[in-house]
Each structure stands twice: as structure tokens, then as C-alpha cells.
Amino acid sequence: MRMRRVIYALLATTAVALASGPARADTKDMRIAFSNNYAGNSWRQAMLKSYGAVADKAVQDKIIGAADVFTTSDKEVPTQAAQLQNLILQGYNAIVINAASPEALNGAVKQACDAGIVVVSFDGIVTEPCAYRIRVDYRALAAKAMDYLATKLPKGGNLLEIRGVAGTSIDDDFHNGTLDGLKKYPQFKVVNSVEGDWDETTAQKAVSTVLPSLPEIVGVVDQGGDGYGAAQAFQNGGRKQPIIIMGNRQDELAWWVQQKKANGYETWSASSAPGVSTMAFWVAQQVLDGRKDIPHDLVDPYLAFTQDTVDAALPKIPVGGVATIEYSQDDAKKIIDDNMKK
């Protein structure tokens, strides 16, 4: 009888251990660094604000020991590579990175992994296999924008493309999605392409420079952060407003709502949420906490607004800000679990 009780006790202990999942590490003394290559627009500023709010609270709650943010002085790959090497030397346990290039930083990322550092890339991802990647499917987003234009402009016409920061995976994905759309809808033609750096002022200047030499433009395909600047360039140039795809910035959505009320202007808006940075933070924390089952490639959905939803969404976005979501630890766990089911 005594032996039977011992066996039952052992079985009960085993059951509790299995139910609780794999053993967890204690992350309260671990440090996470954030390497960011660019902060020159409202999306990046919102990204940093969201990251700071969530990561700082995690430090206060003693979930993590430190969550320091480092933004490079320029958009150049060598600068960020040097920054990564410095973070390795400082002994961080994990590095969250919004990368200047998908491939050019792989050497520095591999050095970090070899030093036992967890690397989580997001938005601007890296292709080094040891790193984790949180993707927003920008290629599908751009293709969806082309679907929208084809629905509204079945006869097609001339398009202007506004590209983002050159060399990033984001810019490449958006551009390739636009090319996919052009193959699907040959009635459209991109007659010029300018660099807007995801920034309203830069985009307005770039569009204003080329606009006098362009034929009639029926649509503008862009990457976010440049819709309002493009609209101002067309207005100041005395040109008819085309359908400008928007990127969830408050100023461009406000302009859209204003034009909608004034003359029925129609468009579509979509972008990743700047708060994806907080998803990257929690993925890093979860890996440090001992989770071995997290896929190295995770997909985070983008946010989109339509003619029917933009009015309700606008008041919730801070003036000068971007529509976003900030993820909690539980939110991140759910997205990880959802990705594992796919």
C-alpha cells in the first residue's frame, strides 16, 4: 500500500510538470537591446514610442533587466553593423533589430548568434537563419493596393510609384508587390518612380520635382508616410488628384476624410502597425525565457482602413501619429501559437 502511494505521488508530480510545459529561465536580470536604423518619419517615431512604453513597463515589472534603445545616426549599413558589434561586446542577452538591409547585416547578426545572443528582426528583417523574423507581408499589401486600383479604375492608366528607404527588405517587398500587380493588370503603367523615404516632406519634394514632366496620373502607389505629401504636391502643382494609396498616418487619413466629405474622394489605406516592435520585444523575451518551439519566421497582420471604416478610426489616432497596436506578453504568445498552427 505504501509503495502504491509513492507511485501515485510520482505520477501526480509528473502530470503537474507536463501540464506546466517546458522549464522556464528567469529573465529579470537579462538585457535586451533594440538596434534601429532609422527614425526619420512618423511611423518610426510611433514605433519607438510603442516599444519604449511596453519595454519600460516590462523592466519596471521586473520581467526583464534592461531594454535599451539605440538608433543609428544615418541609414547606412556599416553604421548599423558597427552598432551591432558594439552591442555584442556590451554583453546583451538579446538584440531586437529593424535592419537597414536584409542581407548586408547577416555577418554581424551571425556573430551575435555565435556569442549566444538571441536576435529578433522585424519590419526591416534579416535573412541570416539564426535570427528570428517577424514579417508583415508588404508584398501582399502592395498587390492588394493594385487590386483596389483595378477595381476603381478598370480602364487603367498612368501610375506614379513612391518608394521607401532604398536597400531595405520593406522597400523591396513593396516594389515587388507593385510589379506583381502590374503583371496582373497590364492596363496600368508606372511612368515614374521617386524615393520618398516614408516621409511626407521628402515625398512632397520628390513628387513636386517630377510632376511637371508627367502625363495625367490616375493613381499613386506608395509605402506609407508619403500620401499626404503626394496630395500636397498634386494640389500645389494644379493637377487633378489621383487615387493615392494611404499608409495609416493621421495627417493623410485626415486629408482623406476631409476630401471624402467635400467631393466623395475614395481610396484605401494599409500599413503595418508600428507596435510590431513590441511583438519583437516579447518574442525575444520568450526565447530568453526558454521557449524552444517558436518558429524563426512569424507573420504579423497589417492594418487596413476602407471608405467605410476610416471615419471611425481617425479620432483614435494621435495628431501626427500612426494607427497602431501595442502587444502584451499574452498577445505575443497568442500570435506565436497561431503561427505554429499554420
Side-chain angles (χ1 to χ4, degrees):
M1 178 64 74
R2 183 177 180 184
M3 179 62 69
R4 186 179 299 172
R5 288 174 181 169
V6 172
I7 292 172
Y8 285 159
L10 288 171
L11 288 173
T13 303
T14 302
V16 170
L18 290 173
S20 65
R24 292 289 187 256
D26 185 353
T27 63
K28 66 178 173 48
D29 294 323
M30 296 185 180
R31 300 186 301 146
I32 299 175
F34 178 13
S35 171
N36 175 46
N37 78 304
Y38 178 67
N41 61 28
S42 58
W43 193 98
R44 289 295 179 109
Q45 290 298 316
M47 174 198 74
L48 291 168
K49 183 177 179 180
S50 291
Y51 187 90
V54 170
D56 289 350
K57 187 175 187 305
V59 173
Q60 293 170 8
D61 292 343
K62 300 189 184 305
I63 297 172
I64 202 78
D68 303 317
V69 178
F70 302 88
T71 297
T72 59
S73 58
D74 55 42
K75 296 175 286 187
E76 301 301 320
V77 169
T79 307
Q80 192 169 27
Q83 181 189 79
L84 288 173
Q85 290 165 349
N86 189 41
L87 296 177
I88 294 169
L89 292 174
Q90 291 184 49
Y92 282 93
N93 302 99
I95 298 173
V96 170
I97 179 171
N98 195 335
S101 167
E103 289 92 18
L105 290 167
N106 282 349
V109 169
K110 183 66 164 57
Q111 289 178 29
C113 292
D114 290 345
I117 299 170
V118 174
V119 179
V120 180
S121 64
F122 75 97
D123 192 43
I125 59 171
V126 296
T127 57
E128 166 54 47
C130 72
Y132 292 83
R133 286 163 290 280
I134 302 176
R135 301 173 180 270
V136 172
D137 196 342
Y138 293 115
R139 186 166 184 163
L141 191 163
K144 184 72 173 179
M146 291 296 296
D147 288 341
Y148 176 84
L149 290 175
T151 299
K152 294 299 178 181
L153 302 165
K155 294 183 180 179
N158 297 318
L159 304 179
L160 173 64
E161 180 186 28
I162 305 178
R163 299 192 61 168
V165 174
T168 61
S169 63
I170 310 159
D171 180 62
D172 290 342
D173 287 347
F174 265 107
H175 178 63
N176 287 328
T178 299
L179 294 179
D180 293 341
L182 292 171
K183 292 177 182 177
K184 186 176 180 180
Y185 305 110
Q187 66 268 37
F188 289 105
K189 178 183 178 182
V190 172
V191 295
N192 208 319
S193 180
V194 298
E195 290 187 9
D197 284 356
W198 310 316
D199 175 66
E200 302 288 5
T201 303
T202 304
Q204 180 176 348
K205 182 177 179 180
V207 174
S208 297
T209 299
V210 302
L211 199 53
S213 64
L214 299 183
E216 180 184 359
I217 301 296
V218 300
V220 176
V221 287
D222 50 35
Q223 302 182 7
D226 35 36
Y228 183 67
Q232 293 303 297
F234 275 85
Q235 179 178 319
N236 295 340
R239 301 288 293 266
K240 179 183 176 181
Q241 288 289 356
I243 296 178
I244 303 171
I245 300 299
M246 302 298 181
N248 296 358
R249 275 61 170 177
Q250 185 273 338
D251 52 6
E252 59 188 5
L253 296 186
W255 179 86
W256 175 11
V257 169
Q258 180 187 55
Q259 295 301 306
K260 176 184 173 183
K261 292 177 180 176
N263 54 47
Y265 185 84
E266 295 186 39
T267 188
W268 182 73
S269 180
S271 178
S272 59
V276 66
S277 60
T278 63
M279 174 67 183
F281 170 81
W282 288 120
V283 169
Q285 187 273 330
Q286 286 292 288
V287 176
L288 291 176
D289 201 32
R291 284 199 65 168
K292 305 295 185 183
D293 58 347
I294 300 176
H296 276 251
D297 288 281
L298 298 163
V299 177
D300 187 55
Y302 60 79
L303 296 176
F305 300 109
T306 67
Q307 200 76 358
D308 295 328
T309 62
V310 64
D311 295 86
L314 181 60
K316 302 173 185 177
I317 307 171
V319 174
V322 188
T324 192
I325 297 171
E326 290 176 358
Y327 294 103
S328 67
Q329 187 183 60
D330 287 340
D331 293 333
K333 289 178 180 178
K334 184 179 185 305
I335 291 176
I336 291 169
D337 291 341
D338 289 344
N339 273 264
M340 291 172 64
K341 295 173 185 176
K342 295 179 180 178

